[in-house]
Amino acid sequence: MTATPPALAQYVTIAAGPQRSRLSCAARGLALGALSVVLQKLLAPLVAPDSYQLLLSAVAIGVMYAGVWAGASALLVTALAKWFLFFPAESSLHLFGIGPLLRFGLFVCLGLLICWLGQKMHASRREVRLLSGLLPICAWCKSVRDEKDHWQPLEVYIHDHSEADFTHGMCPDCARDLVN
């Protein structure tokens, strides 16, 4: 009677860690945008009526901490608020000139630029976590020597120094050796 070999792994999945859904990122951006609109309304007597730094800060914070979807949704909320809440006050001050329209266009362009730069920053941050160089590894047990001269299992070292996690399977050669 021959033993049935365990299921053979055809591939190994390496996960990059917990990912936020686009919906949760967008919800965070909406909340940041709404908060900045409320603050802009409250601080309106203290800042210039055509000021937009506080509104753009919600876009920047959203992109930095919650991702591009959060920044884009914060931009949407703040641009709508600027158009419907703040634009009438600006245009009455400037007697319906082209200036407020240009400032609104500049606001939207700056918000899009912040989102684009945030996307580039997040992409480069993902690439930075790659391991490179030579790893001192034991030829027998495959432990890796870290910067403090401590030996760690390979999986622990890679997990601590990158965003990779391990799943374990068995290659076909090891499965044959196990059966034999």
Side-chain angles (χ1 to χ4, degrees), residues 4-146:
T4 309
L8 303 178
Q10 300 299 319
Y11 58 90
V12 174
T13 304
I14 298 177
Q19 295 290 323
R20 292 187 197 113
S21 72
R22 289 181 179 174
L23 184 62
S24 70
C25 290
R28 291 174 189 199
L30 292 173
L32 278 170
L35 178 65
S36 72
V37 169
V38 169
L39 287 174
Q40 181 77 22
K41 274 298 208 188
L42 291 175
L43 298 175
L46 302 175
V47 296
D50 61 350
S51 172
Y52 51 81
Q53 292 84 0
L54 188 59
L55 297 175
L56 282 177
S57 67
V59 177
I61 291 169
V63 167
M64 292 287 293
Y65 295 106
V68 178
W69 284 96
S73 60
L75 177 60
L76 176 69
V77 168
T78 55
L80 289 173
K82 185 148 181 70
W83 184 264
F84 291 111
L85 299 178
F86 303 116
F87 189 65
E90 291 176 28
S91 58
S92 66
L93 290 176
H94 302 343
L95 301 174
F96 299 104
I98 192 85
L101 285 174
L102 289 175
R103 279 193 292 285
F104 179 76
L106 177 64
F107 172 80
V108 172
C109 288
L110 285 174
L112 290 172
L113 179 65
I114 290 170
C115 288
W116 178 76
L117 289 173
Q119 186 269 336
K120 292 292 186 188
M121 179 200 67
H122 285 290
S124 66
R125 188 181 290 163
R126 283 190 297 268
E127 291 175 10
V128 167
R129 293 290 294 172
L130 295 176
L131 287 173
S132 62
L134 298 174
L135 290 177
I137 188 167
C138 174
W140 183 258
C141 69
K142 306 300 184 213
S143 291
V144 176
R145 188 177 65 222
D146 63 12

Side-chain angles (χ1 to χ4, degrees), residues 143-161:
S143 291
V144 176
R145 188 177 65 222
D146 63 12
E147 302 82 25
K148 298 175 185 175
D149 281 341
H150 296 125
W151 291 91
Q152 299 177 343
L154 179 66
E155 296 90 346
V156 172
Y157 182 86
I158 290 178
H159 176 73
D160 290 347
H161 290 81

